[in-house]
Amino acid sequence: MPVQHVPLAFVFRSRAKEEKAAVAAKATQTDSKQPRDPQAPKGRPTPKRSQAQSQRRSVANTTMTRKEAAKRQREERRAALERQRQALAGGDERYLPARDKGPVRRFARDFVDSRFNIAEFFLPMAVVILVLSMVQVPALQSASLLLWLVVIVLIVLDSVATGYRLKKRLAERFPDENKRGAVAYALMRSLQMRRLRLPKPQVKRGERP
């Protein structure tokens, strides 16, 4: 039989093509077995372990951001409380608490601060009455009980008169404003000693508000 000679270039070229095809098929199978990361771009392989860890670290860093946000909120709250404290001392309407804001509440404060109130002397008189009641003298103990009764009656009468006059003045000065709770607010203020009142008094005694 005649022997057919095959060119060597054809043999080497065929083997090279076969090897390349085998490598490509193996790579395709390997890539298809690996799940694609949802954050990876389409057509690209799944990120390596080091890349996944770096992504997890970036997610963990968001908790630090939340901590920083909470810290910022605490600082803002502290600054707001400081502004409120200064407003209570100086009377700045912008930063006063909600219960002290408004022209009605300001007038109620000025009305109480411009006059003497028996209720503001309640604490000093209560201390005196307590000391007298502890003395082992029957006459002083009886006097302390009588004095206590007189103080309570005077405070009640003075508070009723103050509330009535304040309610009338508020109706004249603020006919269209909401005056709910203003009288009770003023009476609670009258129970405090003048130097301890907050917001600080803005009028002198005897000065017409």
Side-chain angles (χ1 to χ4, degrees), residues 184-201:
Y185 171 77
L187 294 179
M188 289 297 297
R189 185 176 178 86
S190 67
L191 289 171
Q192 303 170 356
M193 299 179 66
R194 182 182 173 87
R195 67 179 61 184
L196 300 179
R197 292 172 184 171
L198 291 175
K200 292 292 185 180

Side-chain angles (χ1 to χ4, degrees), residues 69-82:
K71 182 179 179 180
R72 191 180 303 111
Q73 289 179 356
R74 288 194 299 270
E75 291 176 354
E76 291 176 356
R77 193 180 305 114
R78 192 178 299 112
L81 290 175
E82 178 63 22

Side-chain angles (χ1 to χ4, degrees), residues 135-151:
V135 177
Q136 299 298 324
V137 178
L140 290 178
Q141 291 179 347
S142 300
S144 65
L145 292 176
L146 181 61
L147 183 60
W148 181 257
L149 180 61
V150 171
V151 168

Side-chain angles (χ1 to χ4, degrees), residues 21-35:
V23 172
K26 186 176 180 181
T28 304
Q29 292 177 0
T30 305
D31 293 342
S32 62
K33 290 179 181 179
Q34 292 181 355

Side-chain angles (χ1 to χ4, degrees), residues 118 150-163 165:
I118 299 177
V150 171
V151 168
I152 295 297
V153 172
L154 290 176
I155 290 176
V156 170
L157 293 177
D158 183 63
S159 299
V160 170
T162 301
R165 287 196 294 267

